[in-house]
Amino acid sequence: MSEEVKEVSKADYSADSIQVLEGLEAVRKRPSMYIGDTGFKGLHHLVYEVVDNSIDEALAGHCNNIDVKINEDNSITVRDNGRGIPTDFHAKEKKSALEVVMTVLHAGGKFDKDSYKVSGGLHGVGVSCVNALSTDLKVTVWRNGKTFQQEYQIGKPLYDVKEIGTTDDRGTQVQFKPDASIFTTTEYSFDTLSSRLRELAFLNKGIRLTITDLRDLDDDGKAKCVSFFSEGGLREFVEYLDATREKLIESPMYMEGEKQGIPVEVAMLYNNSYSENIHSYVNNINTHEGGTHLAGFRRGLTRTLKTYAEKSGMLAKVKFEIAGDDFREGLTAVISVKVQEPQFEGQTKTKLGNNEVMGAVDQAVSEMLSNYLEENPKQARIIVDKVILAATARHAARKAREMVQRKNVLTGTGLPGKLSDCSETDPSMCELYLVEGDSAGGTAKQGRNRAFQAILPLRGKILNVEKAMMYKIFENEEIKNMFTAMGVSIGTEEDSKQLNIAKLRYHKIIIMTDADIDGSHITTLILTFFFRYMKELIEQGYIYIATPPLYLVKRGKAERYCWTEDDRLNAIKDLGGEKESTVNIQRYKGLGEMNAEQLWTTTMNPEFRTLRQVTIDSAAEADRIFSMLMGDEVPPRREFIEANAKYAKIDA
Ligand code: 0RA
């Protein structure tokens, strides 16, 4: 009898194991379906997936410390001080609960149905996915006075969960090494991970998140280490985002609480800039495409401010309609909601669809804002004055824009005269080079493949959109040319940030500037413009940066183009010119120093060029960096440039 039972259970066990392997095999076959992609983003997503489990444990009230380590071999260790993943025998699966969590897709939360689980990553696939995509993974659990461990290779356990000692500690640690046969890059970025941990610290006050980079040791052998902790939550987040902007009100408006059964946290500040910076999160995920929570926020804000302004009598002198956008000019806000069963919609699945959330956020914002306006009449006046100013400027902007559009109709094709267009008309095949200066523009025009490459030269410095009012931006010649060449319309008030991407004439827009400080400054200006007014183009992956070479190393007839110092040293070696006197090294400072053929060979020919695609890790961090780079305060800008600009070092 007992024999029989054993047989059955064995059979079941292996059937389960086969299912497990099929599950993990599916992840390895189509990793992008589970983690988005297998590049830089997907690689970092593995860490977020593991950290999210620890955040859940913290949100349940059992953990307040999460440590992330980038190890020397680019493996990752995440440790928390929670209750530890349960290790008891799981009756149905006939193995340790810990093994189930680590090897069964979506098994993560199923022991603890009552727990308030809302985190769990954009793809919410669980740690078993990370396991499947790692060559090696080791989990350690400190729980009930004992230490447990299990190791895996590409998701398969090497042994049953074992007890390896006694302990007074509590918690879970996962160490994993991403599989280099799956990921196109396996090198972790400290900045990308620390940005996300900082964001998580602001979004989940009271949790300490620490990152240590064991690849980066100082002279005393101490690893680079940063720790994030926020007591004030979103209040501190908006202050951090606006650190380099000039405030209009001293301290943020803030609320935290449950509205209509939904946990809502909101903070906002007004500054003297002309842009709107609202970041919204659902279950710690940045909802780039907005959704019902953002709609509720806007509705509550507009209605409450409008009512207050009307009652105050300040609108008596205003002769035109105030638009929704006017209430949000110079506004920095963060909205965070926790939703039990979020419905994500939109192209990148980052748009919240749950209708019940709209009313909850509307109510939260209305209450917060009307209390604030009642209690702070001086600040209330300042805000209403700013709204009126915004409305006035927008009124002027509309007139300017109408002029532009009328003129475009008159010039026939509507394309700018400076554009040398390509002959291909399928946008997915077409490239637009935005080139610094008329002279380099001329060279690019000669060097290009006119079938699919278009050239738009930009004259000198383009307008700093971070500091200019909107109507100035639409009057600016270079900016108008960019909009019209790309074929996207300038948009009207409410949808000014909603581009008509369907009409985009090129699917690669390539910024090509000199490889020097001025060039990188111009690149930053153009990127700021895209970020503020055409963010969707970046999000869709249409924006690229060209990389012209820095050197040409020559010896006799042999030539080598070089992009880095290492390239240059290798080229000298390869050409047999270690005594440098025999080789000629030409430093390219500008595009203008190359002739048309050289520019084509090195920078424009798709077969040989390297394009850097522009991506946004964190919208909040990008916002802060752009406002800092383009703003008035010099010291933070200098610090950032010294830490990041490779050209600054080369030229020094
Ligand atoms: C479910 C139940 C319990 C703990 C956890 C999940 C848990 C999971 C992770 C993942 C990373 N760190 C974690 N910490 C805890 C415990 C339930 C109980 O003890 O009663």
Side-chain angles (χ1 to χ4, degrees), residues 491-523:
T492 53
E493 263 88 76
E494 283 293 327
D495 63 8
S496 59
K497 277 128 221 140
Q498 216 97 66
L499 288 173
N500 193 349
I501 289 246
K503 293 215 175 121
L504 186 67
R505 301 178 62 248
Y506 314 89
H507 284 186
K508 283 202 174 76
I509 293 158
I510 302 164
I511 304 168
M512 186 161 74
T513 62
D514 290 344
D516 62 7
I517 290 185
D518 276 349
S520 70
H521 188 64
I522 289 165
T523 300

PDB file of all heavy atoms in Angstrom, residues 491-523:
ATOM      1  N   GLY A 491       0.130  70.974 -32.710  1.00  0.00           N
ATOM      2  CA  GLY A 491      -0.841  70.667 -31.660  1.00  0.00           C
ATOM      3  C   GLY A 491      -1.519  71.885 -31.076  1.00  0.00           C
ATOM      4  O   GLY A 491      -0.986  72.989 -31.124  1.00  0.00           O
ATOM      5  N   THR A 492      -2.671  71.650 -30.503  1.00  0.00           N
ATOM      6  CA  THR A 492      -3.401  72.744 -29.890  1.00  0.00           C
ATOM      7  C   THR A 492      -3.276  72.645 -28.381  1.00  0.00           C
ATOM      8  O   THR A 492      -2.645  71.735 -27.877  1.00  0.00           O
ATOM      9  CB  THR A 492      -4.874  72.668 -30.306  1.00  0.00           C
ATOM     10  OG1 THR A 492      -5.326  71.360 -29.993  1.00  0.00           O
ATOM     11  CG2 THR A 492      -5.038  72.917 -31.782  1.00  0.00           C
ATOM     12  N   GLU A 493      -3.878  73.583 -27.686  1.00  0.00           N
ATOM     13  CA  GLU A 493      -3.723  73.675 -26.226  1.00  0.00           C
ATOM     14  C   GLU A 493      -3.701  72.337 -25.492  1.00  0.00           C
ATOM     15  O   GLU A 493      -2.691  71.881 -25.030  1.00  0.00           O
ATOM     16  CB  GLU A 493      -4.865  74.515 -25.636  1.00  0.00           C
ATOM     17  CG  GLU A 493      -4.473  75.946 -25.405  1.00  0.00           C
ATOM     18  CD  GLU A 493      -4.710  76.796 -26.634  1.00  0.00           C
ATOM     19  OE1 GLU A 493      -5.875  77.102 -26.874  1.00  0.00           O
ATOM     20  OE2 GLU A 493      -3.753  77.123 -27.337  1.00  0.00           O
ATOM     21  N   GLU A 494      -4.872  71.718 -25.406  1.00  0.00           N
ATOM     22  CA  GLU A 494      -5.012  70.554 -24.529  1.00  0.00           C
ATOM     23  C   GLU A 494      -4.183  69.364 -25.006  1.00  0.00           C
ATOM     24  O   GLU A 494      -3.745  68.556 -24.225  1.00  0.00           O
ATOM     25  CB  GLU A 494      -6.480  70.146 -24.417  1.00  0.00           C
ATOM     26  CG  GLU A 494      -7.296  71.034 -23.490  1.00  0.00           C
ATOM     27  CD  GLU A 494      -6.881  70.925 -22.016  1.00  0.00           C
ATOM     28  OE1 GLU A 494      -6.479  69.829 -21.597  1.00  0.00           O
ATOM     29  OE2 GLU A 494      -6.964  71.936 -21.309  1.00  0.00           O
ATOM     30  N   ASP A 495      -3.978  69.293 -26.308  1.00  0.00           N
ATOM     31  CA  ASP A 495      -3.241  68.123 -26.776  1.00  0.00           C
ATOM     32  C   ASP A 495      -1.841  68.484 -27.255  1.00  0.00           C
ATOM     33  O   ASP A 495      -1.273  67.829 -28.081  1.00  0.00           O
ATOM     34  CB  ASP A 495      -4.023  67.403 -27.887  1.00  0.00           C
ATOM     35  CG  ASP A 495      -4.223  68.266 -29.119  1.00  0.00           C
ATOM     36  OD1 ASP A 495      -3.629  69.364 -29.174  1.00  0.00           O
ATOM     37  OD2 ASP A 495      -4.955  67.853 -30.011  1.00  0.00           O
ATOM     38  N   SER A 496      -1.281  69.554 -26.667  1.00  0.00           N
ATOM     39  CA  SER A 496       0.011  70.016 -27.159  1.00  0.00           C
ATOM     40  C   SER A 496       1.091  68.947 -27.005  1.00  0.00           C
ATOM     41  O   SER A 496       2.082  68.961 -27.695  1.00  0.00           O
ATOM     42  CB  SER A 496       0.431  71.290 -26.449  1.00  0.00           C
ATOM     43  OG  SER A 496       0.506  71.051 -25.066  1.00  0.00           O
ATOM     44  N   LYS A 497       0.886  68.024 -26.041  1.00  0.00           N
ATOM     45  CA  LYS A 497       1.908  66.988 -25.876  1.00  0.00           C
ATOM     46  C   LYS A 497       1.524  65.699 -26.600  1.00  0.00           C
ATOM     47  O   LYS A 497       2.224  64.720 -26.566  1.00  0.00           O
ATOM     48  CB  LYS A 497       2.160  66.726 -24.403  1.00  0.00           C
ATOM     49  CG  LYS A 497       3.128  67.736 -23.816  1.00  0.00           C
ATOM     50  CD  LYS A 497       2.610  68.408 -22.569  1.00  0.00           C
ATOM     51  CE  LYS A 497       2.929  69.892 -22.563  1.00  0.00           C
ATOM     52  NZ  LYS A 497       1.838  70.695 -22.056  1.00  0.00           N
ATOM     53  N   GLN A 498       0.344  65.740 -27.230  1.00  0.00           N
ATOM     54  CA  GLN A 498      -0.122  64.568 -27.943  1.00  0.00           C
ATOM     55  C   GLN A 498       0.255  64.727 -29.406  1.00  0.00           C
ATOM     56  O   GLN A 498      -0.392  65.451 -30.146  1.00  0.00           O
ATOM     57  CB  GLN A 498      -1.651  64.505 -27.837  1.00  0.00           C
ATOM     58  CG  GLN A 498      -2.174  63.120 -27.732  1.00  0.00           C
ATOM     59  CD  GLN A 498      -2.429  62.758 -26.281  1.00  0.00           C
ATOM     60  OE1 GLN A 498      -3.288  63.333 -25.654  1.00  0.00           O
ATOM     61  NE2 GLN A 498      -1.649  61.825 -25.763  1.00  0.00           N
ATOM     62  N   LEU A 499       1.308  64.080 -29.809  1.00  0.00           N
ATOM     63  CA  LEU A 499       1.764  64.251 -31.179  1.00  0.00           C
ATOM     64  C   LEU A 499       0.990  63.354 -32.114  1.00  0.00           C
ATOM     65  O   LEU A 499       0.517  62.302 -31.727  1.00  0.00           O
ATOM     66  CB  LEU A 499       3.217  63.831 -31.274  1.00  0.00           C
ATOM     67  CG  LEU A 499       4.220  64.759 -30.645  1.00  0.00           C
ATOM     68  CD1 LEU A 499       5.567  64.092 -30.681  1.00  0.00           C
ATOM     69  CD2 LEU A 499       4.260  66.058 -31.428  1.00  0.00           C
ATOM     70  N   ASN A 500       0.967  63.776 -33.363  1.00  0.00           N
ATOM     71  CA  ASN A 500       0.354  62.911 -34.336  1.00  0.00           C
ATOM     72  C   ASN A 500       1.437  62.036 -34.975  1.00  0.00           C
ATOM     73  O   ASN A 500       1.932  62.309 -36.060  1.00  0.00           O
ATOM     74  CB  ASN A 500      -0.368  63.745 -35.384  1.00  0.00           C
ATOM     75  CG  ASN A 500      -1.279  62.872 -36.209  1.00  0.00           C
ATOM     76  OD1 ASN A 500      -1.203  61.644 -36.119  1.00  0.00           O
ATOM     77  ND2 ASN A 500      -2.126  63.493 -36.992  1.00  0.00           N
ATOM     78  N   ILE A 501       1.801  60.982 -34.240  1.00  0.00           N
ATOM     79  CA  ILE A 501       2.916  60.123 -34.640  1.00  0.00           C
ATOM     80  C   ILE A 501       2.643  59.429 -35.964  1.00  0.00           C
ATOM     81  O   ILE A 501       3.551  59.116 -36.717  1.00  0.00           O
ATOM     82  CB  ILE A 501       3.175  59.064 -33.543  1.00  0.00           C
ATOM     83  CG1 ILE A 501       3.774  59.755 -32.326  1.00  0.00           C
ATOM     84  CG2 ILE A 501       4.060  57.946 -34.048  1.00  0.00           C
ATOM     85  CD1 ILE A 501       5.177  59.362 -32.009  1.00  0.00           C
ATOM     86  N   ALA A 502       1.377  59.182 -36.248  1.00  0.00           N
ATOM     87  CA  ALA A 502       1.032  58.480 -37.479  1.00  0.00           C
ATOM     88  C   ALA A 502       1.580  59.224 -38.701  1.00  0.00           C
ATOM     89  O   ALA A 502       1.891  58.621 -39.716  1.00  0.00           O
ATOM     90  CB  ALA A 502      -0.479  58.337 -37.581  1.00  0.00           C
ATOM     91  N   LYS A 503       1.724  60.543 -38.567  1.00  0.00           N
ATOM     92  CA  LYS A 503       2.179  61.336 -39.719  1.00  0.00           C
ATOM     93  C   LYS A 503       3.699  61.513 -39.754  1.00  0.00           C
ATOM     94  O   LYS A 503       4.225  62.172 -40.657  1.00  0.00           O
ATOM     95  CB  LYS A 503       1.510  62.721 -39.675  1.00  0.00           C
ATOM     96  CG  LYS A 503       0.011  62.640 -39.906  1.00  0.00           C
ATOM     97  CD  LYS A 503      -0.469  63.859 -40.698  1.00  0.00           C
ATOM     98  CE  LYS A 503      -1.953  63.731 -41.032  1.00  0.00           C
ATOM     99  NZ  LYS A 503      -2.737  64.842 -40.491  1.00  0.00           N
ATOM    100  N   LEU A 504       4.387  60.965 -38.770  1.00  0.00           N
ATOM    101  CA  LEU A 504       5.843  61.114 -38.705  1.00  0.00           C
ATOM    102  C   LEU A 504       6.476  60.626 -40.015  1.00  0.00           C
ATOM    103  O   LEU A 504       6.175  59.528 -40.477  1.00  0.00           O
ATOM    104  CB  LEU A 504       6.384  60.309 -37.520  1.00  0.00           C
ATOM    105  CG  LEU A 504       7.871  60.466 -37.225  1.00  0.00           C
ATOM    106  CD1 LEU A 504       8.173  61.879 -36.736  1.00  0.00           C
ATOM    107  CD2 LEU A 504       8.302  59.451 -36.169  1.00  0.00           C
ATOM    108  N   ARG A 505       7.353  61.440 -40.606  1.00  0.00           N
ATOM    109  CA  ARG A 505       7.868  61.115 -41.933  1.00  0.00           C
ATOM    110  C   ARG A 505       9.139  60.266 -41.908  1.00  0.00           C
ATOM    111  O   ARG A 505       9.572  59.754 -42.937  1.00  0.00           O
ATOM    112  CB  ARG A 505       8.107  62.410 -42.729  1.00  0.00           C
ATOM    113  CG  ARG A 505       6.801  63.235 -42.868  1.00  0.00           C
ATOM    114  CD  ARG A 505       7.001  64.544 -43.606  1.00  0.00           C
ATOM    115  NE  ARG A 505       7.445  64.349 -44.968  1.00  0.00           N
ATOM    116  CZ  ARG A 505       8.635  64.674 -45.430  1.00  0.00           C
ATOM    117  NH1 ARG A 505       9.522  65.246 -44.640  1.00  0.00           N
ATOM    118  NH2 ARG A 505       8.944  64.471 -46.682  1.00  0.00           N
ATOM    119  N   TYR A 506       9.778  60.169 -40.720  1.00  0.00           N
ATOM    120  CA  TYR A 506      11.019  59.382 -40.613  1.00  0.00           C
ATOM    121  C   TYR A 506      10.968  58.568 -39.325  1.00  0.00           C
ATOM    122  O   TYR A 506      10.591  59.103 -38.285  1.00  0.00           O
ATOM    123  CB  TYR A 506      12.244  60.300 -40.528  1.00  0.00           C
ATOM    124  CG  TYR A 506      12.259  61.419 -41.537  1.00  0.00           C
ATOM    125  CD1 TYR A 506      11.670  62.652 -41.241  1.00  0.00           C
ATOM    126  CD2 TYR A 506      12.874  61.247 -42.778  1.00  0.00           C
ATOM    127  CE1 TYR A 506      11.677  63.685 -42.158  1.00  0.00           C
ATOM    128  CE2 TYR A 506      12.881  62.278 -43.707  1.00  0.00           C
ATOM    129  CZ  TYR A 506      12.281  63.496 -43.397  1.00  0.00           C
ATOM    130  OH  TYR A 506      12.284  64.513 -44.310  1.00  0.00           O
ATOM    131  N   HIS A 507      11.368  57.324 -39.376  1.00  0.00           N
ATOM    132  CA  HIS A 507      11.388  56.534 -38.141  1.00  0.00           C
ATOM    133  C   HIS A 507      12.753  56.496 -37.483  1.00  0.00           C
ATOM    134  O   HIS A 507      12.922  55.890 -36.436  1.00  0.00           O
ATOM    135  CB  HIS A 507      10.832  55.136 -38.379  1.00  0.00           C
ATOM    136  CG  HIS A 507       9.325  55.146 -38.489  1.00  0.00           C
ATOM    137  ND1 HIS A 507       8.573  54.015 -38.580  1.00  0.00           N
ATOM    138  CD2 HIS A 507       8.447  56.190 -38.515  1.00  0.00           C
ATOM    139  CE1 HIS A 507       7.287  54.353 -38.662  1.00  0.00           C
ATOM    140  NE2 HIS A 507       7.199  55.664 -38.636  1.00  0.00           N
ATOM    141  N   LYS A 508      13.742  57.114 -38.126  1.00  0.00           N
ATOM    142  CA  LYS A 508      15.000  57.356 -37.429  1.00  0.00           C
ATOM    143  C   LYS A 508      15.292  58.849 -37.517  1.00  0.00           C
ATOM    144  O   LYS A 508      15.428  59.385 -38.616  1.00  0.00           O
ATOM    145  CB  LYS A 508      16.156  56.571 -38.055  1.00  0.00           C
ATOM    146  CG  LYS A 508      16.178  55.110 -37.698  1.00  0.00           C
ATOM    147  CD  LYS A 508      17.584  54.522 -37.868  1.00  0.00           C
ATOM    148  CE  LYS A 508      17.642  53.094 -37.366  1.00  0.00           C
ATOM    149  NZ  LYS A 508      17.024  52.136 -38.307  1.00  0.00           N
ATOM    150  N   ILE A 509      15.380  59.494 -36.369  1.00  0.00           N
ATOM    151  CA  ILE A 509      15.752  60.897 -36.339  1.00  0.00           C
ATOM    152  C   ILE A 509      17.084  60.962 -35.617  1.00  0.00           C
ATOM    153  O   ILE A 509      17.188  60.548 -34.452  1.00  0.00           O
ATOM    154  CB  ILE A 509      14.659  61.727 -35.655  1.00  0.00           C
ATOM    155  CG1 ILE A 509      13.412  61.690 -36.555  1.00  0.00           C
ATOM    156  CG2 ILE A 509      15.125  63.161 -35.432  1.00  0.00           C
ATOM    157  CD1 ILE A 509      12.138  61.980 -35.846  1.00  0.00           C
ATOM    158  N   ILE A 510      18.107  61.388 -36.346  1.00  0.00           N
ATOM    159  CA  ILE A 510      19.473  61.209 -35.864  1.00  0.00           C
ATOM    160  C   ILE A 510      20.128  62.575 -35.624  1.00  0.00           C
ATOM    161  O   ILE A 510      20.229  63.394 -36.537  1.00  0.00           O
ATOM    162  CB  ILE A 510      20.294  60.400 -36.902  1.00  0.00           C
ATOM    163  CG1 ILE A 510      19.616  59.044 -37.154  1.00  0.00           C
ATOM    164  CG2 ILE A 510      21.728  60.222 -36.429  1.00  0.00           C
ATOM    165  CD1 ILE A 510      20.085  58.330 -38.402  1.00  0.00           C
ATOM    166  N   ILE A 511      20.519  62.795 -34.397  1.00  0.00           N
ATOM    167  CA  ILE A 511      21.174  64.054 -34.056  1.00  0.00           C
ATOM    168  C   ILE A 511      22.663  63.898 -34.328  1.00  0.00           C
ATOM    169  O   ILE A 511      23.304  62.976 -33.814  1.00  0.00           O
ATOM    170  CB  ILE A 511      20.946  64.402 -32.569  1.00  0.00           C
ATOM    171  CG1 ILE A 511      19.447  64.432 -32.256  1.00  0.00           C
ATOM    172  CG2 ILE A 511      21.617  65.729 -32.220  1.00  0.00           C
ATOM    173  CD1 ILE A 511      19.140  64.489 -30.768  1.00  0.00           C
ATOM    174  N   MET A 512      23.221  64.780 -35.176  1.00  0.00           N
ATOM    175  CA  MET A 512      24.641  64.647 -35.523  1.00  0.00           C
ATOM    176  C   MET A 512      25.351  65.974 -35.236  1.00  0.00           C
ATOM    177  O   MET A 512      25.126  66.968 -35.927  1.00  0.00           O
ATOM    178  CB  MET A 512      24.781  64.247 -37.004  1.00  0.00           C
ATOM    179  CG  MET A 512      26.206  63.955 -37.425  1.00  0.00           C
ATOM    180  SD  MET A 512      26.304  62.977 -38.951  1.00  0.00           S
ATOM    181  CE  MET A 512      25.867  64.193 -40.181  1.00  0.00           C
ATOM    182  N   THR A 513      26.162  65.981 -34.192  1.00  0.00           N
ATOM    183  CA  THR A 513      26.873  67.211 -33.820  1.00  0.00           C
ATOM    184  C   THR A 513      28.366  66.927 -33.685  1.00  0.00           C
ATOM    185  O   THR A 513      28.790  65.773 -33.689  1.00  0.00           O
ATOM    186  CB  THR A 513      26.363  67.765 -32.471  1.00  0.00           C
ATOM    187  OG1 THR A 513      26.616  66.788 -31.461  1.00  0.00           O
ATOM    188  CG2 THR A 513      24.874  68.069 -32.513  1.00  0.00           C
ATOM    189  N   ASP A 514      29.142  67.993 -33.538  1.00  0.00           N
ATOM    190  CA  ASP A 514      30.588  67.845 -33.354  1.00  0.00           C
ATOM    191  C   ASP A 514      30.887  67.066 -32.075  1.00  0.00           C
ATOM    192  O   ASP A 514      30.143  67.144 -31.103  1.00  0.00           O
ATOM    193  CB  ASP A 514      31.244  69.235 -33.220  1.00  0.00           C
ATOM    194  CG  ASP A 514      31.218  69.994 -34.537  1.00  0.00           C
ATOM    195  OD1 ASP A 514      30.991  69.342 -35.578  1.00  0.00           O
ATOM    196  OD2 ASP A 514      31.414  71.223 -34.510  1.00  0.00           O
ATOM    197  N   ALA A 515      32.022  66.346 -32.113  1.00  0.00           N
ATOM    198  CA  ALA A 515      32.412  65.571 -30.934  1.00  0.00           C
ATOM    199  C   ALA A 515      33.198  66.459 -29.963  1.00  0.00           C
ATOM    200  O   ALA A 515      34.329  66.160 -29.602  1.00  0.00           O
ATOM    201  CB  ALA A 515      33.252  64.373 -31.370  1.00  0.00           C
ATOM    202  N   ASP A 516      32.602  67.568 -29.574  1.00  0.00           N
ATOM    203  CA  ASP A 516      33.269  68.420 -28.591  1.00  0.00           C
ATOM    204  C   ASP A 516      32.219  68.969 -27.616  1.00  0.00           C
ATOM    205  O   ASP A 516      31.049  68.599 -27.692  1.00  0.00           O
ATOM    206  CB  ASP A 516      34.036  69.559 -29.280  1.00  0.00           C
ATOM    207  CG  ASP A 516      33.108  70.484 -30.059  1.00  0.00           C
ATOM    208  OD1 ASP A 516      31.870  70.324 -29.956  1.00  0.00           O
ATOM    209  OD2 ASP A 516      33.619  71.359 -30.781  1.00  0.00           O
ATOM    210  N   ILE A 517      32.648  69.851 -26.712  1.00  0.00           N
ATOM    211  CA  ILE A 517      31.724  70.309 -25.672  1.00  0.00           C
ATOM    212  C   ILE A 517      30.536  71.055 -26.270  1.00  0.00           C
ATOM    213  O   ILE A 517      29.391  70.834 -25.882  1.00  0.00           O
ATOM    214  CB  ILE A 517      32.465  71.194 -24.654  1.00  0.00           C
ATOM    215  CG1 ILE A 517      33.417  70.301 -23.846  1.00  0.00           C
ATOM    216  CG2 ILE A 517      31.475  71.869 -23.704  1.00  0.00           C
ATOM    217  CD1 ILE A 517      34.132  70.993 -22.743  1.00  0.00           C
ATOM    218  N   ASP A 518      30.801  71.923 -27.254  1.00  0.00           N
ATOM    219  CA  ASP A 518      29.691  72.650 -27.895  1.00  0.00           C
ATOM    220  C   ASP A 518      28.711  71.686 -28.535  1.00  0.00           C
ATOM    221  O   ASP A 518      27.505  71.848 -28.422  1.00  0.00           O
ATOM    222  CB  ASP A 518      30.223  73.593 -28.986  1.00  0.00           C
ATOM    223  CG  ASP A 518      30.679  74.913 -28.374  1.00  0.00           C
ATOM    224  OD1 ASP A 518      30.373  75.136 -27.180  1.00  0.00           O
ATOM    225  OD2 ASP A 518      31.342  75.685 -29.090  1.00  0.00           O
ATOM    226  N   GLY A 519      29.274  70.684 -29.211  1.00  0.00           N
ATOM    227  CA  GLY A 519      28.430  69.691 -29.869  1.00  0.00           C
ATOM    228  C   GLY A 519      27.556  68.961 -28.869  1.00  0.00           C
ATOM    229  O   GLY A 519      26.357  68.773 -29.093  1.00  0.00           O
ATOM    230  N   SER A 520      28.146  68.581 -27.734  1.00  0.00           N
ATOM    231  CA  SER A 520      27.335  67.828 -26.778  1.00  0.00           C
ATOM    232  C   SER A 520      26.304  68.748 -26.136  1.00  0.00           C
ATOM    233  O   SER A 520      25.218  68.323 -25.767  1.00  0.00           O
ATOM    234  CB  SER A 520      28.199  67.112 -25.745  1.00  0.00           C
ATOM    235  OG  SER A 520      28.794  68.020 -24.889  1.00  0.00           O
ATOM    236  N   HIS A 521      26.641  70.034 -26.046  1.00  0.00           N
ATOM    237  CA  HIS A 521      25.654  70.985 -25.520  1.00  0.00           C
ATOM    238  C   HIS A 521      24.464  71.103 -26.476  1.00  0.00           C
ATOM    239  O   HIS A 521      23.310  71.114 -26.054  1.00  0.00           O
ATOM    240  CB  HIS A 521      26.306  72.345 -25.302  1.00  0.00           C
ATOM    241  CG  HIS A 521      25.411  73.314 -24.585  1.00  0.00           C
ATOM    242  ND1 HIS A 521      24.997  73.100 -23.290  1.00  0.00           N
ATOM    243  CD2 HIS A 521      24.831  74.459 -24.981  1.00  0.00           C
ATOM    244  CE1 HIS A 521      24.189  74.089 -22.924  1.00  0.00           C
ATOM    245  NE2 HIS A 521      24.077  74.929 -23.932  1.00  0.00           N
ATOM    246  N   ILE A 522      24.776  71.158 -27.772  1.00  0.00           N
ATOM    247  CA  ILE A 522      23.692  71.251 -28.758  1.00  0.00           C
ATOM    248  C   ILE A 522      22.842  69.985 -28.746  1.00  0.00           C
ATOM    249  O   ILE A 522      21.609  70.048 -28.793  1.00  0.00           O
ATOM    250  CB  ILE A 522      24.278  71.543 -30.159  1.00  0.00           C
ATOM    251  CG1 ILE A 522      24.800  72.987 -30.165  1.00  0.00           C
ATOM    252  CG2 ILE A 522      23.240  71.344 -31.248  1.00  0.00           C
ATOM    253  CD1 ILE A 522      25.699  73.313 -31.306  1.00  0.00           C
ATOM    254  N   THR A 523      23.514  68.833 -28.640  1.00  0.00           N
ATOM    255  CA  THR A 523      22.756  67.581 -28.525  1.00  0.00           C
ATOM    256  C   THR A 523      21.809  67.652 -27.331  1.00  0.00           C
ATOM    257  O   THR A 523      20.634  67.290 -27.427  1.00  0.00           O
ATOM    258  CB  THR A 523      23.723  66.383 -28.367  1.00  0.00           C
ATOM    259  OG1 THR A 523      24.557  66.342 -29.512  1.00  0.00           O
ATOM    260  CG2 THR A 523      22.970  65.076 -28.239  1.00  0.00           C
TER     261      THR A 523
END
